[in-house]
Amino acid sequence: MTRAFVFPGQGAQTIGMGRALAEAYPAAKAVFDEVDAALGERLSTLIWEGEQEVLTLTRNAQPALMATSIAALRALEAEGIGVASAAYVAGHSLGEYSALCAAGSLSLADTARLLRLRGGAMQEAVPVGVGAMAALLGLDFEAATAVAAEAAQGEVCQAANDNDPAQVVVSGHRAAVERAVEIAKSRGAKRAILLPVSAPFHCALMEPAARVMAEALDDVEIRAPSVPLVANVRADAVDNPAVIRSLLVEQVTGSVRWRESVAWMAAHGVRDFWEIGAGKALSGMIRRIAKEAETRAVGTPEEVVAAKG
């Protein structure tokens, strides 16, 4: 098999996502119903009819994006294409939970509750205004890591997301991240910009959230995935439930090694990357990492039908 299913992370959320899938496929509608029941609220109403600002809150965006991804997968399954057709699954940050749910490692209800908890814990780990994140464009991971180290000056500043060969996101204390932006510009970055995020994800400041997730994950059943997961913090395949549990905790403070993960899959025979859910951000990254790869977005009924061809 030369296909991988990949699942988007935060930033892809839009009002209305998944609604057409739910209207076209009963199995997709059932996903949103189950997530609503698991959370004890009508998250689907927020996703389809709410305000973008409220949907973008981390505690809402994380389960909402997962629900949309799994709804798209259920629509694909209704058309005869299941996760078993993929050699690997992977996801960007919260998308890793979507990938594990898709591969049967986590139940849908548990995934929704874990992501609601994860989103809240990550938001509450650092007071608003204390942390920040910035995208450094035009610098590779090694150069961005050096910039972060120089900018730290006793504070936290880490390379949080290694997205593609020319896009690295740094995270940490606001003053340190602001210094990183200026240093990156002096080092030849094409652009270096602060990101409109509510907390400094994937850095040491998230340690309180990691403790919350460690406790929560101890109480959840994690099964061996039906398709191996290419894990964010290791950038290679895992299928052992105990290892997966540990990596999900490590992921909260660790770097998302997306560039390496995609390169690893490409080196192990993957030629087709299907982005399951909202948006097409991962597809763009993948084409910059694995230039021979084919990408396909699957997030609407039309895209689901086209995938059959």
Side-chain angles (χ1 to χ4, degrees):
M1 290 184 289
T2 62
R3 180 184 300 158
F5 283 0
V6 298
F7 297 85
Q10 209 160 323
Q13 67 275 357
T14 57
I15 294 297
M17 64 182 183
R19 186 169 198 165
L21 288 168
E23 292 171 348
Y25 294 94
K29 173 67 162 56
V31 169
F32 289 103
D33 291 343
E34 186 173 345
V35 169
D36 286 350
L39 298 180
E41 64 181 76
R42 295 281 296 177
L43 183 66
S44 59
T45 301
L46 169 61
I47 298 169
W48 297 336
E49 302 171 12
E51 298 178 1
Q52 182 71 23
E53 286 183 3
V54 181
L55 178 61
T56 298
L57 293 174
T58 303
R59 67 187 301 273
N60 294 327
Q62 294 200 20
L65 284 161
M66 181 278 299
T68 303
S69 285
I70 301 303
L73 180 67
R74 296 290 178 260
L76 270 178
E77 290 172 346
E79 298 289 358
I81 304 171
V83 72
S85 69
Y88 302 102
V89 294
H92 193 284
S93 190
L94 82 89
E96 191 155 272
Y97 284 78
S98 306
L100 287 166
C101 182
S105 188
L106 289 169
S107 74
L108 177 59
D110 282 342
T111 308
R113 287 189 288 261
L114 284 168
L115 285 173
R116 166 54 58 81
L117 181 66
R118 182 178 182 269
M122 292 173 83
Q123 181 62 64
E124 293 162 12
V126 181
V128 173
V130 170
M133 300 181 78
L136 311 183
L137 308 180
L139 296 182
D140 64 18
F141 184 69
E142 184 177 350
T145 300
V147 166
E150 182 177 334
Q153 298 180 19
E155 294 184 308
V156 171
C157 190
Q158 296 173 227
N161 299 348
D162 182 10
N163 285 334
D164 66 39
Q167 183 190 126
V168 180
V169 174
V170 297
S171 181
H173 286 106
R174 175 170 286 275
V177 172
E178 290 173 345
R179 287 192 292 271
V181 166
E182 295 309 312
I183 294 168
K185 290 176 181 175
S186 73
R187 298 284 174 82
K190 292 179 180 177
R191 292 181 70 199
I193 51 173
L194 289 170
L195 297 176
V197 296
S198 55
F201 305 128
H202 297 291
C203 76
L205 296 178
M206 288 288 110
E207 182 57 38
R211 291 194 294 269
V212 169
M213 293 312 297
E215 185 175 341
L217 286 159
D218 275 345
D219 293 333
V220 169
E221 181 185 7
I222 298 179
R223 295 171 290 277
S226 60
V227 174
L229 170 79
V230 179
N232 281 186
V233 297
R234 276 191 21 179
D236 65 8
V238 295
D239 58 11
N240 180 290
V243 173
I244 289 169
R245 193 185 309 272
S246 175
L247 294 178
L248 287 175
V249 176
E250 187 179 342
Q251 187 224 56
V252 178
T253 56
S255 297
V256 176
R257 296 168 60 184
W258 187 250
R259 174 184 58 84
E260 292 177 274
S261 296
V262 171
W264 188 94
M265 286 185 276
H268 286 76
V270 174
R271 297 291 175 267
D272 300 302
F273 291 84
W274 289 20
E275 183 170 2
I276 312 296
K280 300 178 182 179
L282 295 185
S283 295
M285 294 177 195
I286 289 164
R287 288 192 296 271
R288 290 188 289 272
I289 299 163
K291 299 189 185 302
E292 303 301 316
E294 297 288 333
T295 61
R296 175 185 293 275
V298 184
T300 67
E302 293 78 15
E303 290 167 346
V304 169
V305 171
K308 290 172 59 182

